[in-house]
Amino acid sequence: MCGIVGYTGNSQAAPILLHGLSKLEYRGYDSAGLAVRDGEKNVEIIKAKGRLKVLAEKTNNGESVPGTCGIGHTRWATHGEPSEINAHPHMSDDGNVVAVHNGIIENYQELKDKLTRKGYTFYSSTDTEVAVKLVDYYYKKYLGTPVDAINHAMVRIRGSYALAIMFKDYPEEIYVARKDSPMILGVENGESYIASDVPAILKYTRNVYYIGNLEMARVKKGEITFYNLDGDEIEKEPKTIEWDAEAAEKAGYEHFMMKEIHEQPKAVKDTLNSVLKDGQIDLSEVGLTDEDIRKISQIYIVACGSAYHVGMAAQYVIEDLARIPVRVELASEFRYRNPILDPNGLVIIISQSGETADSLAALREAKERGNRTLGIVNVVGSSIAREADNVFYTLAGPEISVATTKAYSTQLMASYLLAVQFAKVRETISTEKYEQLIQELTAIPEKIAKILEDDKERIQWFAAKQANVKDAFFIGRGIDYAVSLEGSLKMKEISYVHSEAYAAGELKHGTISLIEDGTLLIGILTQNKLYEKTVSNMVECKSRGAYLMGLTTFGHYNIEDTADFTVYIPKTDEHFATSLAVVPLQLLGYYVSVAKGLDVDKPRNLAKSVTVE
């Protein structure tokens, strides 16, 4: 969950590293550091606690650190508190090996004990320092090459890592190793770049290589050589990044989150049009034939965080339209409970980054058990995209804000498209219904745009009045409960308001005891058959002092008799209401955060891509 950048070429490295790290600060921002080498001279390491700007000030934006080869890092703490000592890069006792690391080394204590017996000392609380000194140990023990040393270390390390390593004996070179944590490498005009995510190097090159799991690379000026775990050279084909650098900029918005909220109509439309051909859904590029779809007996949706909430909404839609049983699983629990999987079941893994550690582990578990797997991911070439049997790419483009918005919305659209096509192929809906549903889907982007145009100012006004709220509850029934989960998470993660989501009927089974004067309660009411029941639950809370916000579709104006504040969204087929209802909830979380003066894009303790378990 940290950010890694590396460079070797003919330009000064430090400014390039700082620029790249600024594009990755959403991945980690407890501390930051650089290691830069000027030719044959010793490497210079500069570290700082806090945001990247502290490091930039300390180095005069990199100008005070000469050298054309270096590695940089922004940290999200796992082992050891945020501090300058624990910040990366880390080095061996004699400065022979310097490295930065993303991931978690699970057996670091065992390795640390071994190295201590060999005479090594440790200055930090990190697992990364252990990895650095393990590489140093093998380099000296076998008197081999950096690839040999890294190879031996990789065999001993349990856990996940993306490592960028510099060796004293090999100036102007950087070595890379990867297991389960993302890493890309790029080459352009005699210069080479390393990063843990695309935005860091997009300014300099669009030609990138995706290093595979348990692979290594030797990075020289304008030249990259790849190796397998045995140390044998392997060939790789470069990939071209299609989206441009401007896609990862704020474009005049105060925060990336607001920009990405406004990008939802386009992102959703692009995802829809990627499989909609002449008014029909075509899943041939996804790799699912009609015969494959007919064989599916059960669907398991496995995901984390907001992607899990997409799965919750998809469960209602797929079961109702296609009549296929669906089970939604938390990826972090999936493989540890020894799940019973139907041999003809389809396991769908949803992940924005395609690198989410728990989701990737669940994918591998499903494949080991012989199940067909489908990844719904946003990043081409990511681990889940490469390892899943089939892939449905969401076309959200780069999402920088830690709190997801457009990735969530595109995942929803992908889920709807699967549900509708599965229903058609399995003949659980008529041709007329199929065409009607597609018409509804094509109207969603425009309706999202209308919500942004009509409701933004009113929600901002309401949010400002709720800036001091201590507790918030989101309630709904059916699909409305699924969107409640996401609305509650948005309030929690960027506004730091204690917030919970409940199926509305569950309130009276204990939770209603928490309702008191001033408690904010948001009721979502987009399902007509459940509307009156949810209103009744809201009334129960109002009588106990709750302040009510209602979120419903146009036409349900009697909600104003109950709610203190109401937001209306356009009507759509009720299966797809989540796509519209989530937008005001995103705006609510955003504006409460802004009203409280918080850092919307970089909420405390969180990182964008959770690549560790």
Side-chain angles (χ1 to χ4, degrees):
M1 292 193 286
C2 306
I4 292 175
V5 180
Y7 168 82
T8 182
N10 301 312
S11 303
Q12 290 299 300
I16 293 172
L17 298 176
L18 287 170
H19 174 270
L21 292 175
S22 73
K23 303 301 180 184
L24 297 182
E25 199 176 4
Y26 62 92
R27 296 178 70 98
Y29 36 87
D30 294 334
S31 57
L34 303 175
V36 178
R37 191 167 183 190
D38 190 5
E40 300 276 350
K41 297 178 183 177
N42 289 336
V43 68
E44 185 175 357
I45 297 176
I46 309 96
K47 302 194 275 191
K49 179 184 175 182
R51 296 293 172 87
L52 184 64
K53 66 180 181 179
V54 181
L55 181 64
E57 292 168 357
K58 197 171 183 178
T59 61
N60 189 24
N61 292 318
E63 298 297 329
S64 64
V65 192
T68 59
C69 179
I71 51 180
H73 189 268
T74 57
R75 181 172 185 250
W76 188 86
T78 55
H79 292 72
E81 65 181 5
S83 69
E84 196 166 303
I85 290 176
N86 289 331
H88 302 210
H90 287 286
M91 63 185 292
S92 60
D93 293 350
D94 58 1
N96 179 54
V97 177
V98 177
V100 294
H101 164 230
N102 184 12
I104 286 183
I105 296 170
E106 295 171 357
N107 61 331
Y108 84 102
Q109 190 62 55
E110 170 193 324
L111 296 173
K112 187 174 183 178
D113 293 343
K114 167 191 169 83
L115 292 168
T116 300
R117 292 193 297 270
K118 298 294 182 180
Y120 284 86
T121 59
F122 293 85
Y123 57 84
S124 77
S125 304
T126 68
D127 53 344
T128 303
E129 187 187 357
V130 175
V132 171
K133 292 178 178 178
L134 186 68
V135 171
D136 179 72
Y137 168 74
Y138 285 122
Y139 182 75
K140 291 169 178 171
K141 178 178 180 179
Y142 295 110
L143 300 176
T145 66
V147 170
D148 294 327
I150 297 168
N151 176 330
H152 282 88
M154 290 172 73
V155 172
R156 290 299 308 275
I157 292 172
R158 294 198 307 270
S160 61
Y161 50 82
L163 285 161
I165 310 170
M166 300 167 70
F167 289 81
K168 187 174 183 178
D169 296 337
Y170 292 82
E172 300 184 329
E173 295 185 12
I174 305 169
Y175 290 80
V176 167
R178 174 181 181 263
K179 179 179 182 288
D180 294 341
S181 285
M183 183 76 88
I184 61 167
L185 300 93
V187 176
E188 195 78 30
N189 299 326
E191 300 179 305
S192 296
Y193 304 87
I194 298 165
S196 50
D197 203 357
V198 171
I201 61 174
L202 200 54
K203 177 181 177 181
Y204 308 103
T205 182
R206 293 192 193 179
N207 302 310
V208 302
Y209 296 89
Y210 291 93
I211 184 169
N213 221 28
L214 293 174
E215 292 179 354
M216 298 167 283
R218 180 184 190 181
V219 182
K220 303 168 71 174
K221 292 182 179 181
E223 179 185 341
I224 302 175
T225 307
F226 293 92
Y227 304 88
N228 61 21
L229 191 58
D230 295 324
D232 300 325
E233 287 191 25
I234 54 178
E235 296 294 324
K236 283 192 175 293
E237 291 294 322
K239 305 291 184 182
T240 301
I241 303 300
E242 299 296 337
W243 44 271
D244 56 27
E246 287 70 28
E249 301 295 337
K250 288 183 183 175
Y253 289 93
E254 185 178 357
H255 299 99
F256 278 111
M257 184 177 177
M258 181 54 78
K259 172 179 178 277
E260 289 158 10
I261 287 172
H262 280 80
E263 288 174 338
Q264 287 178 119
K266 182 180 185 303
V268 169
K269 186 176 182 179
D270 288 347
T271 301
L272 169 66
N273 289 339
S274 70
V275 297
L276 191 62
K277 314 294 182 186
D278 300 321
Q280 302 284 311
I281 298 170
D282 180 358
L283 296 180
S284 58
E285 290 189 14
V286 176
L288 287 175
T289 66
D290 288 357
E291 184 179 354
D292 294 331
I293 293 169
R294 292 189 190 100
K295 288 180 180 177
I296 297 170
S297 58
Q298 167 90 35
I299 291 175
Y300 308 90
I301 300 177
V302 187
C304 305
S306 292
Y308 173 78
H309 300 160
V310 169
M312 291 291 288
Q315 178 185 40
Y316 290 102
V317 181
I318 295 171
E319 288 192 340
D320 195 45
L321 291 178
R323 308 308 296 163
I324 305 172
V326 179
R327 179 164 182 152
V328 188
E329 302 266 5
L330 287 166
S332 56
E333 292 290 324
F334 179 73
R335 63 187 178 132
Y336 296 116
R337 65 174 189 81
N338 194 21
I340 300 170
L341 302 181
D342 188 312
N344 293 316
L346 173 67
V347 179
I348 300 177
I349 310 291
I350 307 178
S351 167
Q352 187 280 136
S353 67
E355 303 289 352
T356 311
D358 290 315
S359 300
L360 184 56
L363 168 69
R364 290 169 178 165
E365 176 80 10
K367 287 178 70 70
E368 283 181 13
R369 291 167 179 258
N371 282 84
R372 187 177 192 132
T373 56
L374 168 66
I376 298 179
V377 300
N378 191 44
V379 180
V380 177
S382 58
S383 296
I384 291 174
R386 291 197 305 271
E387 295 187 29
D389 298 309
N390 305 102
V391 185
F392 193 140
Y393 282 114
T394 56
L395 303 185
E399 188 177 66
I400 306 301
S401 180
V402 168
T404 183
T405 51
K406 61 176 179 172
Y408 172 92
S409 291
T410 55
Q411 290 164 359
L412 272 179
M413 176 55 75
S415 302
Y416 297 156
L417 289 161
L418 292 173
V420 172
Q421 188 64 11
F422 285 10
K424 177 195 178 187
V425 171
R426 297 167 70 94
E427 299 180 349
T428 54
I429 58 173
S430 65
T431 300
E432 182 182 4
K433 181 66 173 177
Y434 177 75
E435 293 172 351
Q436 177 194 339
L437 291 171
I438 288 178
Q439 286 181 350
E440 292 285 351
L441 288 174
T442 57
I444 286 176
E446 185 178 339
K447 290 176 180 179
I448 294 174
K450 180 173 175 57
I451 294 169
L452 292 171
E453 181 180 345
D454 292 350
D455 295 333
K456 194 165 64 172
E457 291 183 3
R458 290 186 67 246
I459 293 172
Q460 183 177 11
W461 171 86
F462 177 71
K465 291 183 172 295
Q466 301 300 319
N468 294 320
V469 70
K470 302 298 182 186
D471 300 284
F473 292 91
F474 292 71
I475 66 168
R477 290 171 180 259
I479 288 173
D480 290 336
Y481 168 55
V483 74
S484 294
L485 291 165
E486 180 63 10
S488 176
L489 179 59
K490 286 292 159 286
M491 184 69 81
K492 273 189 276 238
E493 65 184 342
I494 61 173
S495 300
Y496 314 154
V497 173
H498 168 252
S499 172
E500 303 292 342
Y502 281 92
E506 287 297 297
L507 275 175
K508 61 176 67 72
H509 296 286
T511 307
I512 202 166
S513 65
L514 298 173
I515 302 295
E516 58 187 13
D517 286 346
T519 300
L520 176 61
L521 185 129
I522 296 97
I524 294 112
L525 312 97
T526 69
Q527 307 296 299
N528 283 325
K529 291 181 180 178
L530 302 169
Y531 177 84
E532 290 183 354
K533 291 184 180 294
T534 304
V535 170
S536 296
N537 298 132
M538 293 173 68
V539 170
E540 291 168 350
C541 295
K542 187 170 186 175
S543 67
R544 289 159 175 82
Y547 188 87
L548 303 187
M549 170 181 161
L551 174 56
T552 188
T553 52
F554 284 110
H556 287 302
Y557 302 118
N558 63 344
I559 189 64
E560 296 183 16
D561 297 334
T562 302
D564 299 291
F565 176 77
T566 305
V567 175
Y568 296 98
I569 60 173
K571 289 184 177 180
T572 186
D573 185 282
E574 291 183 7
H575 294 92
F576 311 141
T578 303
S579 286
L580 305 183
V582 74
V583 179
L585 302 181
Q586 294 169 346
L587 291 169
L588 179 63
Y590 173 85
Y591 281 123
V592 171
S593 181
V594 170
K596 295 176 72 170
L598 303 174
D599 191 337
V600 174
D601 288 331
K602 304 183 187 76
R604 68 189 180 201
N605 303 331
L606 298 179
K608 180 63 177 174
S609 180
V610 184
T611 57
V612 296
E613 288 191 76

